[in-house]
Amino acid sequence: MINKRMVYLDGIRGISALVVCAGHLRAAVYRDFREIENPTYLESIFYFGTSLGHQAVMVFFVLSGFFVGGAVLRAGHAFQWTSYLIARLSRLWTVLLPALVFTVLIDSVITEFFPEVLTGAYRDRWNSGPTSGREGYSLSGVTFLGNLFFLQTIAVPVFGTNGPLWSLANEFWYYIAFPVLALMLGICGTPGRKISRLWYAVVFSLFFLLPHNIIHRFCIFLMGVLAFSASQKLEFRKRYLLLLVSSLLFMASLIYSKSTRMQLILHVSSEFMIGATFAFLCVVLARWPNPDVTSLGKAVTTVLTKLSDLSYSLYLMHFPLVVLIGASLYHSESTQFSLYEFGVFTSLLTFLVALSWMFWAIFERQTPVVKRLFEKLRN
């Protein structure tokens, strides 16, 4: 039997958000790895671990396919658009709306005290944020509404300094595209006439009008859907061996994603490689027993569950704060790795996690309330 609450997959979702946050914070605090002449093994490990933010987003896409796409498959012929959209939009908007307002507040401080940030002064070092001349930077009402309705990178730029919002547009349109695809193929929804499936085929074709990178990464979302389907059907005997193999393959894909030379040799997308290997790992972990009921097992479950719970809030609200921290404390004087600075880095990361927990407690925890409100409006 597949676990109802897949603690390890939930935990990976939380860890992935933490990796994204840590990577952005490291870029704002420490000098670039290329500037270090003779890096130690400890420095190399630290920089590698905090350079996997983009890879962590690919993990998010696979997990979205697994959980959200899996929910569509699980609904089967009982699938209903209204219930599905209420569940998805209440989940997304409950955090996104306050996160956009939060971005306005933080960006107002940045504009007043650190306007050079908005002209792209730190773009090269932070690998995100406004570009030179404020190109693509906007806090307008149109941009606010565009981000609220998941049109960032499609019709409007990401809102303010909140660069990580780019992936939310991908997620939302995958949430729409996959049920349309499933209905077109007759996998879910009430079995209908051929004309209905033809209609869904026309609607699905509109998906290809979206930017290429959104279409391209839909395959990664679908890998998560396939992982869910496989986890429902397959039985494993040598699970420890499969866990070892899938973990090693996933680690190899992460290393591959950081090696330009290997990519030039193999000519395989690193994003696809990460998606495929992590999807394999998902299949194994979905059937892995949850931690036992001992004190240690309960502690592991609590930590992984809490990280998963606040992952969405952490992802949406951390970057404007990272920009403010980088501009106010470090300016252009990035620091060198040391035990003391690592302690400062850890303290700042803990601060960001604590704020995201508060954000979760105030807003994201109210998702069931918002969902019930939408259901009342529907009725």
Side-chain angles (χ1 to χ4, degrees):
M1 289 291 292
I2 191 169
N3 297 318
K4 292 183 178 180
R5 175 91 197 217
M6 288 162 277
V7 171
Y8 295 112
L9 288 182
D10 282 341
I12 289 174
R13 178 164 51 191
I15 292 169
S16 296
L18 195 62
V19 167
V20 172
C21 179
H24 286 144
L25 182 62
R26 191 264 299 159
V29 171
Y30 290 105
R31 65 181 59 180
D32 192 271
F33 185 70
R34 291 169 294 184
E35 298 176 16
I36 304 174
E37 293 184 1
N38 296 302
T40 65
Y41 286 115
L42 186 60
E43 286 176 317
S44 298
I45 292 171
F46 173 74
Y47 273 85
F48 178 79
T50 55
S51 68
L52 299 173
H54 186 77
Q55 291 81 351
V57 175
M58 298 306 108
V59 167
F60 278 136
F61 291 161
V62 175
L63 288 173
S64 291
F66 189 95
F67 287 113
V68 179
V72 173
L73 294 182
R74 193 163 49 239
H77 294 308
F79 175 83
Q80 292 183 335
W81 271 112
T82 51
S83 299
Y84 175 76
L85 289 175
I86 285 173
R88 299 274 55 83
L89 290 174
S90 58
R91 162 73 171 157
L92 293 169
W93 278 342
T94 303
V95 181
L96 177 58
L97 181 57
L100 293 175
V101 174
F102 180 75
T103 302
V104 172
L105 297 176
I106 299 299
D107 277 22
S108 298
V109 177
I110 293 171
T111 301
E112 179 67 25
F113 296 101
F114 312 103
E116 70 277 8
V117 171
L118 306 183
T119 60
Y122 309 130
R123 168 78 185 193
D124 291 339
R125 181 154 62 86
W126 293 348
N127 299 315
S128 192
T131 55
S132 60
R134 296 198 182 193
E135 182 182 351
Y137 177 84
S138 176
L139 281 178
S140 71
V142 171
T143 305
F144 183 97
L145 290 174
N147 279 250
L148 188 63
F149 289 97
F150 313 102
L151 294 173
Q152 60 271 34
T153 73
I154 300 171
V156 297
V158 295
F159 189 65
T161 58
N162 207 333
L165 287 174
W166 71 267
S167 67
L168 205 58
N170 291 56
E171 295 269 13
F172 175 77
W173 293 108
Y174 300 158
Y175 294 169
I176 300 299
F178 178 68
V180 171
L181 176 63
L183 287 162
M184 179 186 80
L185 297 174
I187 297 173
C188 71
T190 304
R193 296 172 299 176
K194 291 183 179 179
I195 189 66
S196 298
R197 295 171 68 172
L198 179 61
W199 164 247
Y200 280 115
V202 172
V203 174
F204 184 71
S205 68
L206 298 177
F207 174 71
F208 293 93
L209 297 176
L210 293 173
H212 175 73
N213 61 357
I214 294 180
I215 300 169
H216 172 82
R217 290 166 180 149
F218 184 51
C219 297
I220 300 173
F221 179 92
L222 292 177
M223 290 176 187
V225 178
L226 290 174
F228 173 84
S229 182
S231 69
Q232 298 285 304
K233 299 173 182 178
L234 299 179
E235 293 290 345
F236 305 131
R237 293 182 180 179
K238 299 180 179 180
R239 64 181 189 184
Y240 285 99
L241 178 61
L242 285 173
L243 178 63
L244 177 63
V245 171
S246 59
S247 297
L248 289 175
L249 287 173
F250 178 57
M251 285 300 301
S253 73
L254 295 179
I255 295 171
Y256 175 79
S257 72
K258 307 302 292 184
S259 173
T260 304
R261 181 180 299 179
M262 291 175 64
Q263 292 176 47
L264 289 174
I265 294 173
L266 297 180
H267 298 288
V268 178
S269 166
S270 62
E271 293 181 349
F272 282 3
M273 193 80 81
I274 290 168
T277 56
F278 182 68
F280 179 24
L281 182 58
C282 279
V283 175
V284 178
L285 290 178
R287 287 191 167 274
W288 200 266
N290 285 333
D292 54 38
V293 294
T294 62
S295 297
L296 179 59
K298 288 180 179 179
V300 170
T301 300
T302 300
V303 170
L304 294 180
T305 301
K306 291 297 182 184
L307 275 176
S308 175
D309 288 343
L310 60 81
S311 61
Y312 184 37
S313 292
L314 177 61
Y315 186 81
L316 285 197
M317 57 82 66
H318 79 275
F319 193 71
L321 280 173
V322 167
V323 171
L324 183 59
I325 289 170
S328 60
L329 298 182
Y330 294 91
H331 306 287
S332 59
E333 300 296 328
S334 53
T335 188
Q336 189 169 349
F337 184 86
S338 68
L339 289 179
Y340 170 77
E341 290 297 340
F342 180 72
V344 174
F345 172 85
T346 303
S347 299
L348 290 172
L349 184 60
T350 302
F351 170 72
L352 291 173
V353 172
L355 281 184
S356 70
W357 180 85
M358 294 173 60
F359 204 84
W360 169 84
I362 296 170
F363 300 110
E364 189 171 358
R365 191 163 59 175
Q366 310 309 315
T367 299
V369 177
V370 176
K371 183 179 178 182
R372 287 194 295 270
L373 177 61
F374 278 135
E375 289 171 343
K376 286 183 180 178
L377 292 175
R378 179 185 65 174
N379 297 329

